[in-house]
Amino acid sequence: MEAECPICGSPVELPDDVMAGELLECPSCGATLEVYEQDGTFLLREAEEIGEDWGE
Amino acid sequence: MEAECPICGSPVELPDDVMAGELLECPSCGATLEVYEQDGTFLLREAEEIGEDWGE
Amino acid sequence: MMVVKVGGRTLGNIPLIARDLVGHQPFVLVHGGGDLVTEYSKRMGVEPRIVTSPSGIRSRYTDERELEVFVMVLAGKVNKEIVSSLIDLGVGAIGISGVDGPTLIAERKRRIIVVERGRRRIIPGGYTGRIEEVRTDHLRLLLDSGYNVVMAPLARGTQGEMLNVDGDQAASRLSSALKPDYLIMLSDVEGVILDGELVSRLTPEEAEELAVRLGAGMNRKLMMAADVARSGVRVVISSGLVDEPITEALNGAGTHVIPS
Amino acid sequence: MMVVKVGGRTLGNIPLIARDLVGHQPFVLVHGGGDLVTEYSKRMGVEPRIVTSPSGIRSRYTDERELEVFVMVLAGKVNKEIVSSLIDLGVGAIGISGVDGPTLIAERKRRIIVVERGRRRIIPGGYTGRIEEVRTDHLRLLLDSGYNVVMAPLARGTQGEMLNVDGDQAASRLSSALKPDYLIMLSDVEGVILDGELVSRLTPEEAEELAVRLGAGMNRKLMMAADVARSGVRVVISSGLVDEPITEALNGAGTHVIPS
Ligand SMILES: [Zn+2]
Ligand SMILES: [Zn+2]
């Protein structure tokens, strides 16, 4: 299973047990990508910045 | 199984499956008696007046 | 100022009730929610105990474990969800129970007679009380300062225990003490129905006469309405399931019990 | 006036804490109780979800179902039991949560990164918040009129949702806003222990320096104590498990963080 990198257009391999929200790195351009699900298909979008700080 | 009526001293038959709090009538004097348990034995005492009114 | 009783079966309509309350501040909202207690008791493995009175009336018995669920669901979940719905609309709301203050002081039946296996038995009364005293200083303080109060139908027992109390009784007793302009009792019925017709207006005397001809539930509600109306408060018994329950009640919907 | 935080593990000592509070009114008591949430979640069939951060920190994740239990146990059961204990002693007490008013407004993390199956994943943040705003008008109103306030550590989220918040943080932020004479933080430890010795007195600056050398839990507590002390409030971190926790704290027990 693979999906297209929204940044550079290269194909990115998805794990067999891919999870919505999973973070992957595009092997071609190095962008951090987030997996999301739409109509039963897993797609990729650029991941927004989320801090490591867990607050309380 | 039987217990003694605290009013007239007559023996009062207890049901086999007697329950603490159960109300019985003494066949001799007619008093309403309450069953209570003490050290594994069922005894009888005069029942106090409790209204039927259940409030709410 | 008004007191509004929101029955358990109208809780689903809280968003619309809350919206309608925005224009009718300040208010004290007394809520029900007993049906939810049954549901959560089951989830927590607390089996409901049904007892039968010597005259054959079956009723739910509130034991210590069920009272705990009652406190959690009514004073916790339901109360805070209603408060949140009000604050969503910019309405300042503070949720308490009758235990707090204390506001409601009730007497618990110490012992009751039930019928088990066809035989009469005395058991300790459940954790249910009849309201004996109402204290409203803190309510007036909050209401006078622009806060609205959401109240769960719990009371402090005269022995210090927590007790569940009837929501209609709580709303009625609070109304007799606070003397609001209106007590509006919202439930899933449109008002008092007699021979298939809604009764729209009653004096306290007419309400008491009529009460004896009505079924369980409504007869008690109407008796309490008559009591409250006698203290000079206008009482409306109406539907909480419409779009604007408060506005409609004030505009004449439901059954109005008017001080004579 | 004082603010007292009663940690979850000292709730068992509420009868003695309440007795000691009789002579120190008015007060705001902020309580914990998270351990009970775990117990009741289990009883209600809500499985705890533990998540791992990318840096390896494992923590409990408050999902919607667990938040519901949190509201029921903290704002319902624990809050009303403490209120009852106080009223038993003749102390007027009103139990609310940070949702009421609202008193505490918090920001929920919208999305967090966790590690699952060894891979990083973005999930919605749990129903836990960081307090952003504190509103105390209604608290002052009640305190000024002789009522004491018992507060459950819940907050209203900026999106209107209910959130669980850290009890120490709630007590600290309330103290910075209310400016009580004392903030007393009672837990199951005697105070700040350094090299086996109780540290009895710190300035805010010393507290901050020391905090980085302490373990999780106490380091955050001490940072918050330093913050509160900077706002001019004397803070005591001491044991809630002794006979007279408040009196002992005021008499010098525990660790005092004193405004410099
Ligand atoms: Zn790429
Ligand atoms: Zn006899």
Side-chain angles (χ1 to χ4, degrees), chain B residues 15-25 32 34 45 47-56, chain C residues 51-55 57 59 109 111-114 116-117 119-122 128-130 166 169 220:
Chain B
D16 292 341
D17 58 346
V18 66
M19 307 171 279
E22 184 163 356
L23 294 174
L24 300 172
E25 201 168 294
T32 300
E34 180 189 347
R45 65 181 161 214
E48 57 179 303
E49 198 69 46
I50 297 182
E52 156 90 355
D53 169 33
W54 277 29
E56 319 329 315
Chain C
V51 293
T52 306
S53 82
S55 61
I57 297 167
S59 63
K109 280 256 172 324
R111 306 176 89 204
I112 58 172
I113 301 178
V114 298
E116 279 187 34
R117 304 177 200 161
R119 286 136 51 191
R120 291 186 310 150
R121 182 182 188 187
I122 297 175
T128 299
R130 176 196 288 274
D166 178 67
Q169 193 182 70
R220 296 188 52 240

Side-chain angles (χ1 to χ4, degrees), chain A residues 5-10 12 25-31 33:
Chain A
C5 171
I7 312 293
C8 71
S10 308
V12 179
E25 202 167 292
C26 172
S28 306
C29 70
L33 305 172

